[in-house]
């Protein structure tokens, strides 16, 4: 052992001696001698400290050069294992590794798997795209267009109601004795206000509820094609929600205007001062709210300075391309899977139904993601740009949801903001519990989901209602995982969200409503001459819309 140390020491000294003359070292060939030589000269100069610092840097460079020379001369003695290190994927590793490569691999595998399905689909069914095959009846188109144009008239009725109420409010405020804004409204004034609001509430309820009921009745009984019916029904629900928000917001603004208790007006949002009540009750203000990409009424909104028409053109192009993509996937891939599932449902072959459900889940997920991007990113941003609407947070990063509750709060912000502002928060302020208020919110939302899906398909079977209302127990389960504040809890919560969403959610609902439609009507597409529905396997039949 001593011999090894002596030999290594002699080897370490050899390169220094061999290179001392090459590097211009002082006699003696050692760095120590060079340091003494430099120090002796530096102490005799006025700037000796600065020279010593520069000389120290030079010495460090010399040492690094000597080490490099040593490594080049002795290439087989480098210390490869010099520290204790854990494996990269071990739990005790100090640095978390990046999995970008695995992400890229999963994308490649997903593309390859779906490309195989594309080839298999074309080989099995042929090209199923057929524009002329869709059964768009003239009566459906005319009636759908008429309903679509008439629905906003209910907003005009809401404006007339609020205009009359605002005129009466101005007269009442001018007639009553000024109280200096230092006291609350008297019991008599409060009774009059509540009576007036009771009458206005009845008028508003009759107005915007008739919009939804009349539209739903016409769609269910007189519009056959589900696509046209869905477009009309969506418009009716949007107008219903906007009219409710318009009435409720103006009710509170009118109360603050009639009874200006000291400090309350100052507590209103600053942006409301741009258009105070009753100056906001104008036709132009209502028309802007009708077109604005929000369901919550405000007298004023944050606005951008100008319209970027290039931005609008890009977003409109995305909507067109994604709509064509969704139509292609629905006709070419979703329709064959749905039709091949009918006999499995009829015979209650649960294993085969599960296989069809899993196969449909991939297609429905891609269609849903494309529809989400087309609506919330492309269409709403284009509409916001045209209307110069500033607040464009239509969604948040819902794909990272750690629970079902986070998902419902982040994926559709306009609807979430409406229910929180006009349903949940008022109920909580009146003493309702969180669970009771949440139950009411999800019940109303479930009813609207069933109306949106069941009415256009002429099959109110309750699947959409239950799918929405039964989110409450899932939210209760995953909320505990969200509160764990651990990586495993968040991972499990996000996994439960994706499984319930991609397999037991939309694919199952689509399968049930398609089966109900086929059992009632057969198809929404006309078959080409000489071919029937059984020709799907040869690629000659036209798919459902």
């Amino acid at each position: 052992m001593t011999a090894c140390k002596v030999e290594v020491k002699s080897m370490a000294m050899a390169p220094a001696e061999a290179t001392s003359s090459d590097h211009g070292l002082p006699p003696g060939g050692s760095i120590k001698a060079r340091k003494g030589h430099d120090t002796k000269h530096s102490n005799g100069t006025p700037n000796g400290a600065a020279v010593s610092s520069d000389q120290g840097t030079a010495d460090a460079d010399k040492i690094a050069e000597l080490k490099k020379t040593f490594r080049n001369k002795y290439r087989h003695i480098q210390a490869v294992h010099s520290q204790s290190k854990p494996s990269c994927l071990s739990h005790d590793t100090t640095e978390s590794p990046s999995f970008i490569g695995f992400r890229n691999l999963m994308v490649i595998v997903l593309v390859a798997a779906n490309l195989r399905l594309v080839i298999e689909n074309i080989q099995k069914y042929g090209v199923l795209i057929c524009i002329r095959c869709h059964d768009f009846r003239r009566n459906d188109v005319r009636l759908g267009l008429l309903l679509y144009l008439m629905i906003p008239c209910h907003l005009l009725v809401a404006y007339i109601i609020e205009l009359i109420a605002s005129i009466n409010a101005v007269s009442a405020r001018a007639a009553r004795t000024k109280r200096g804004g230092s006291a609350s409204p008297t019991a008599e004034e409060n009774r009059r206000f509540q009576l007036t609001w009771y009458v206005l509430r009845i008028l508003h309820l009759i107005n915007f509820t008739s919009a939804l009921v009349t539209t739903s009745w016409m769609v269910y009984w007189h519009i056959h094609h589900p696509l046209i019916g869905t477009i009309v029904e969506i418009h009716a629900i949007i107008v219903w929600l906007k009219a409710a928000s318009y009435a409720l917001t103006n009710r509170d603004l009118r109360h603050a205007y009639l009874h200006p208790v000291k400090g309350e007006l100052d507590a209103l949002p600053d942006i409301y001062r741009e258009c105070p009540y009753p100056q906001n009750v104008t036709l132009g203000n209502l028309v802007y709210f009708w077109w604005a990409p929000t369901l919550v009424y405000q007298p004023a909104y944050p606005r951008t300075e100008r319209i970027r028409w290039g931005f609008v053109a890009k977003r409109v192009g995305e909507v067109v391309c994604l709509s064509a993509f969704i139509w292609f996937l629905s006709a070419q891939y979703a329709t064959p899977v749905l039709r091949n599932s009918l006999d499995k449902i009829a015979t209650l072959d649960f294993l085969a139904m599960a296989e069809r459900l899993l196969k449909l889940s991939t297609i429905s997920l891609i269609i849903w993601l494309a529809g989400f991007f087309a609506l919330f990113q492309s269409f709403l941003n284009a509409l916001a740009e045209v209307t110069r609407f500033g607040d464009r947070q239509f969604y948040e990063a819902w794909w990272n949801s750690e629970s079902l509750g986070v998902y419902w709060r982040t994926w559709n912000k306009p609807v979430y903001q409406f229910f929180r502002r006009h349903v949940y928060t008022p109920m909580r302020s009146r003493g309702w519990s969180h669970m009771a208020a949440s139950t009411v919110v999800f019940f109303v939302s479930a009813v609207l989901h069933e109306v949106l899906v069941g009415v256009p398909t002429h099959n109110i079977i309750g699947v959409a209602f239950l799918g929405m209302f039964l989110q409450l127990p899932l939210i209760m389960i995953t909320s505990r995982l969200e509160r764990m504040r651990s990586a495993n809890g968040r991972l499990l919560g996000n996994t439960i969200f994706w499984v319930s969403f991609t397999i037991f959610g939309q694919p199952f609902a689509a399968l049930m409503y398609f089966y109900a439609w086929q059992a009632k009507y057969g198809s929404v597409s006309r078959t080409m001459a000489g071919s029937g529905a059984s020709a799907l396997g040869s690629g000659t039949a036209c798919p459902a819309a």
Side-chain angles (χ1 to χ4, degrees), residues 233-526:
E233 199 67 34
I234 288 177
H235 193 199
I237 292 176
I238 290 174
V239 169
W240 186 75
L241 296 174
K242 282 179 177 276
S245 181
Y246 186 73
L248 293 171
T249 304
N250 277 305
R251 183 262 183 198
D252 285 356
L253 292 175
R254 184 166 53 253
H255 186 276
Y257 173 77
L258 286 174
H259 312 295
V261 178
K262 187 176 181 179
E264 283 190 355
L265 293 179
D266 295 333
L268 287 174
D270 294 337
I271 195 172
Y272 285 18
R273 297 176 184 176
E274 299 177 10
C275 188
Y277 187 89
Q279 299 176 20
N280 66 302
V281 186
T282 62
L283 187 59
N285 184 275
L286 178 63
V287 170
Y288 180 82
F289 173 55
W290 174 33
W291 285 100
T294 179
L295 298 175
V296 174
Y297 174 72
Q298 293 181 188
Y301 297 95
R303 304 286 294 274
T304 57
E305 296 181 357
R306 61 185 181 89
I307 300 175
R308 299 171 295 174
W309 291 109
F311 179 87
V312 175
K314 291 179 181 178
R315 302 291 81 79
V316 172
E318 291 172 355
V319 172
V320 173
C321 293
L322 287 172
S323 299
F325 177 69
I326 292 172
W327 170 62
F328 172 77
L329 289 181
S330 301
Q332 185 68 37
Y333 299 102
T335 300
V337 175
L338 290 169
R339 285 188 174 177
N340 293 335
S341 306
L342 297 177
D343 57 335
K344 311 297 188 300
I345 300 176
T347 58
L348 296 180
D349 189 345
F350 295 105
L351 187 61
M353 288 171 58
E355 185 272 335
R356 294 286 95 184
L357 197 64
L358 291 173
K359 189 172 184 179
L360 183 63
S361 64
T362 303
I363 303 171
S364 65
L365 178 61
I366 296 175
I367 293 175
W368 190 89
L369 290 176
F372 165 81
F373 194 92
L375 176 60
F376 289 94
Q377 176 61 28
S378 301
F379 176 75
L380 290 184
N381 268 284
L383 185 60
E385 188 68 27
V386 172
T387 57
R388 294 172 47 220
F389 190 81
D391 186 5
R392 305 182 183 184
Q393 195 177 39
F394 306 118
Y395 60 92
E396 295 181 19
W398 55 265
W399 45 89
N400 297 325
S401 298
E402 301 165 2
S403 67
L404 269 298
V406 174
Y407 165 72
W408 289 114
R409 292 193 298 267
T410 55
W411 94 272
N412 188 344
K413 293 295 289 291
V415 173
Y416 165 73
Q417 290 165 349
F418 175 89
F419 278 101
R420 182 174 183 82
R421 186 193 193 198
H422 297 302
V423 181
Y424 179 83
T425 301
M427 293 183 66
R428 292 284 287 158
S429 65
R430 287 175 171 84
W432 290 61
S433 65
H434 166 73
M435 188 61 193
S438 300
T439 301
V440 172
V441 168
F442 275 88
F443 178 81
V444 176
S445 180
V447 171
L448 293 179
H449 274 75
E450 184 65 33
V451 170
L452 180 59
V453 180
V455 171
T457 58
H458 311 284
N459 286 286
I460 302 179
I461 57 179
V463 174
F465 174 85
L466 292 176
M468 187 66 194
F469 193 67
L470 293 180
Q471 293 293 314
L472 280 174
L474 290 176
I475 291 175
M476 296 175 60
I477 294 174
T478 55
S479 62
R480 297 183 178 181
L481 300 175
E482 181 184 358
R483 292 193 296 267
M484 288 175 60
R485 299 187 181 279
S486 63
N488 293 333
R490 292 193 297 267
L491 176 62
L492 183 58
N494 186 255
T495 302
I496 294 176
F497 152 67
W498 278 115
V499 170
S500 63
F501 179 75
T502 58
I503 299 178
F504 300 106
Q506 297 184 28
F508 180 76
L511 199 61
M512 292 297 100
Y513 281 101
F514 185 83
Y515 177 78
W517 176 275
Q518 291 289 334
K520 192 171 184 178
Y521 296 105
S523 177
V524 294
S525 300
R526 299 187 303 266

